[in-house]
Amino acid sequence: MSLNTLKYYLREAWTSLLRNSWLSVASMGTIIISLLILGSSLLLMLNVSYLTSTVESSLEITVFLNDGLQQDQMNRLEEEIKFIPGVTSVQFVSRTQALEELRSGFGERADILSGLDKDNPLPDSFRVKTREAEQVPAAAQQLSAISGVEQVRYGQGVVEKLLALTHWVRLWGSITIILLALAAIFLISTSIRMSLYARRREIAIMKMLGATNFFVRMPFMLEGMLLGLVGALVAALVINFGYLSLLSKVIVTLPFIQMITDPVILYRVLGGMLGLGFIIGALGSAISLHRFLRV
């Protein structure tokens, strides 16, 4: 492609945008709204996934030990637990430490536990974490079969429901994002088709004069790419300021809700929106042009 041909394509695309300003604004508005919905939904799903991952990472198994175990027996137990598939960390918690943590949890009412200093009923235990939350039930079953273990607790029943919930949230979140992307392509291609319909005679004349499909298509493709890129840029800026504003309010008013604060993740989402807008604009133009090039 020569430089003069490229200049012609760019000039035609720019002239088309100015000549059909209202249709261009309508197409851009469609892209902005579509990407706003898509970007907001993606950030929502990422935050839901982040929240569930945070909850999953906090899951641990408490292994209560039998009374009267010697130190060497506890050391052997610890080594045996470390060899269980999926186990990443094992922390020993003495009965004294467990009592202190319990007292700390009572806060100002810790004095009601003062009578337990001489006769501590809490057993020694191990706190066990696994690499993945899905490995907790299987690891707990293996732990309960070890000699010297009195009881194993990990929130049985609740953990399984949490894992099932996070699985469905991620699955339906992915499906929703795909459907929204397809809807955005459809809306944008429909909007661009309206612009092409208004210029169908111009396209037909160019074809009858011997213009190739590529020659006819390129200005419209560039127009669609430009509309997609500008629309995506506006949507990305709105989402960026909106999300940062929401994040600052949530941190102050609802500090217990974990949201994504890593700017790298946010910039990746915004960069992905720019690329998606560019691709959707080109794809929408290509889909719409296919019909009008049949002359």
Side-chain angles (χ1 to χ4, degrees), residues 37-288:
I37 297 173
L38 185 61
S40 300
S41 301
L42 179 58
L43 277 176
L44 175 62
M45 295 313 304
L46 286 175
N47 276 284
V48 171
S49 179
Y50 176 73
L51 179 61
T52 53
S53 298
T54 303
V55 174
E56 288 178 354
S57 64
S58 65
L59 294 177
E60 63 181 17
I61 306 170
T62 303
V63 182
F64 296 106
L65 307 179
N66 292 328
D67 291 334
L69 292 179
Q70 301 299 317
Q71 186 61 46
D72 60 335
Q73 292 176 301
M74 293 183 183
N75 293 338
R76 285 197 297 270
L77 270 175
E78 184 175 355
E79 292 301 319
E80 189 173 354
I81 292 173
K82 288 180 179 179
F83 278 101
I84 293 178
V87 171
T88 56
S89 68
V90 181
Q91 179 187 2
F92 176 72
V93 180
S94 66
R95 58 178 62 199
T96 303
Q97 181 183 346
L99 180 60
E100 289 300 321
E101 291 179 357
L102 180 63
R103 183 178 286 112
S104 176
F106 273 84
E108 297 179 354
R109 302 181 60 187
D111 56 330
I112 63 176
L113 302 175
S114 58
L116 299 179
D117 291 328
K118 296 181 180 180
D119 186 18
N120 186 352
L122 301 178
D124 295 324
S125 63
F126 286 110
R127 288 176 184 164
V128 180
K129 286 194 174 184
T130 59
R131 183 176 297 104
E132 297 177 0
E134 289 79 5
Q135 297 172 319
V136 168
Q141 186 175 4
Q142 290 183 264
L143 287 167
S144 61
I146 297 177
S147 176
V149 173
E150 180 180 357
Q151 190 178 14
V152 175
R153 289 184 182 177
Y154 66 95
Q156 187 175 5
V158 177
V159 170
E160 284 81 0
K161 291 179 181 179
L162 175 63
L163 295 176
L165 177 62
T166 55
H167 170 75
W168 282 108
V169 165
R170 287 166 179 162
L171 175 62
W172 285 108
S174 301
I175 294 174
T176 301
I177 295 299
I178 293 173
L179 291 177
L180 286 172
L182 293 175
I185 293 175
F186 173 76
L187 289 173
I188 292 166
S189 63
T190 302
S191 180
I192 293 176
R193 188 180 292 117
M194 292 173 60
S195 175
L196 292 171
Y197 183 78
R199 302 168 61 188
R200 63 191 184 281
R201 293 182 180 178
E202 177 185 343
I203 296 173
I205 292 173
M206 292 175 66
K207 287 288 294 178
M208 287 187 290
L209 290 176
T212 63
N213 287 344
F214 181 81
F215 187 85
V216 176
R217 182 183 286 115
M218 275 308 296
F220 293 102
M221 292 288 291
L222 290 173
E223 180 181 346
M225 293 175 188
L226 184 59
L227 288 173
L229 190 59
V230 174
L233 179 61
V234 174
L237 289 174
V238 172
I239 287 181
N240 180 54
F241 289 114
Y243 184 78
L244 292 178
S245 176
L246 175 64
L247 184 62
S248 62
K249 292 180 180 178
V250 169
I251 291 176
V252 174
T253 58
L254 302 170
F256 54 88
I257 295 181
Q258 298 291 325
M259 292 182 65
I260 295 175
T261 58
D262 188 354
V264 175
I265 297 178
L266 181 59
Y267 292 149
R268 284 178 181 173
V269 172
L270 299 179
M273 288 178 60
L274 293 178
L276 186 60
F278 184 83
I279 293 172
I280 286 178
L283 189 59
S285 297
I287 294 173
S288 303

Side-chain angles (χ1 to χ4, degrees), residues 1-15:
M1 183 189 299
S2 66
L3 183 59
N4 289 333
T5 305
L6 180 59
K7 288 181 179 179
Y8 168 78
Y9 290 150
L10 293 173
R11 184 173 62 252
E12 284 296 307
W14 180 252
T15 302

